């Protein structure tokens, strides 16, 4: 079954995510036209709704943007606590990314990234990545913590929207896992960087 219009919840998820066509701050986010979504049966018989598809696509885009940031940590700091924390976040996020990609494949969703090139809340921009690559020690910790905190908070926010409005059981379960892991990672980050 194909849905021709986006649900208000889907649009709300994308607006909360701040999806736009260029660098923005969260306060100046313009309205967005949602990408076309499909609903497809899964082996359990539960259909994907437009919110499920939009959330999975956003989760993939956000996580793909975070992983290079996490990969910088071993070269930019010798602090074992920061290295452990980033490795733990990276392991969790890679597992969640794999699950999200599998669910998008199950949904027969488009393979293109509708968020390609978008700088949204929770995503590190090219300029910010350049600053991270040149920072080290406490300066790196401060920048890294700010970007990681923004990513985790936004991930929890949009995953909560999926929990409330998603339909496909495995997708909603992934959203619940993202909320749990993101909340726990935020708490750990608060101990490392109590700003």
């Amino acid at each position: 079954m194909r849905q021709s219009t986006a649900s208000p919840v889907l649009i709300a998820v994308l607006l909360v995510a701040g999806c736009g066509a260029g660098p923005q701050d969260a306060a100046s986010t313009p309205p967005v036209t949602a990408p076309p979504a499909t609903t497809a049966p899964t082996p359990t018989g539960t259909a994907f709704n437009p919110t499920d598809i939009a959330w999975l696509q956003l989760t993939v885009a956000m996580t793909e943007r975070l992983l290079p940031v996490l990969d910088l940590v071993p070269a930019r700091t010798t602090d074992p606590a920061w290295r452990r924390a980033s490795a733990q976040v990276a392991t969790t996020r890679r597992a969640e990314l794999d699950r999200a990609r599998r669910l998008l494949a199950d949904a027969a969703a488009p393979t293109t990234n509708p968020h390609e090139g978008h700088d949204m809340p929770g995503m590190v921009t090219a300029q910010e990545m350049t600053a991270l690559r040149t920072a080290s020690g406490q300066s790196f910790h401060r920048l890294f913590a700010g970007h990681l905190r923004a990513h985790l908070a936004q991930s929890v926010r949009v995953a909560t929207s999926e929990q409330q409005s998603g339909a496909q059981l495995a997708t909603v379960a992934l959203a619940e896992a993202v909320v749990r892991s993101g909340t726990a990672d935020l708490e750990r980050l608060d101990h490392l960087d109590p700003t």
Side-chain angles (χ1 to χ4, degrees):
M1 180 171 147
R2 191 169 197 71
Q3 300 226 348
S4 60
T5 59
S7 72
V9 173
L10 168 65
I11 293 169
V13 167
L14 291 174
L15 288 176
V16 167
C19 184
Q24 327 230 341
D25 61 45
S28 66
T29 302
V32 164
T33 303
T38 59
T39 57
T42 64
T44 62
T46 304
F48 289 87
N49 71 12
T51 301
D52 296 322
I53 302 299
W55 178 73
L56 288 166
Q57 290 172 329
L58 181 58
T59 296
V60 167
M62 288 180 67
T63 306
E64 287 176 343
R65 191 79 71 91
L66 176 68
L67 292 176
V69 174
L70 296 169
D71 291 342
L72 288 175
V73 173
R76 307 309 318 159
T77 182
T78 57
D79 188 309
W82 285 95
R83 286 179 166 206
R84 270 193 310 275
S86 67
Q88 185 171 10
V89 171
T91 298
T92 303
R93 290 290 174 238
R94 282 188 170 94
E96 290 167 351
L97 178 60
D98 289 344
R99 286 175 67 185
R101 286 176 174 157
R102 282 195 306 272
L103 286 164
L104 281 170
D106 290 347
T111 57
T112 57
N113 177 358
H115 304 289
E116 186 72 37
H118 297 178
D119 292 331
M120 304 180 292
M123 289 186 170
V124 176
T125 67
Q127 294 96 341
E128 291 165 341
M129 193 67 175
T130 298
L132 282 162
R133 283 189 183 109
T134 59
S136 60
Q138 291 302 316
S139 175
F140 176 81
H141 296 168
R142 181 180 49 77
L143 290 172
F144 174 75
H147 295 308
L148 182 57
R149 186 174 280 113
H151 170 87
L152 293 169
Q154 187 67 4
S155 293
V156 167
R157 189 174 299 121
V158 295
T160 300
S161 294
E162 166 62 18
Q163 284 180 281
Q164 295 166 351
S165 303
Q168 205 281 331
L169 297 178
T171 305
V172 173
L174 175 57
E176 291 168 359
V178 168
V179 169
R180 276 193 312 274
S181 66
T183 301
D185 288 337
L186 280 166
E187 289 172 6
R188 278 188 283 277
L189 184 58
D190 286 342
H191 290 299
L192 277 174
D193 181 59
T195 56

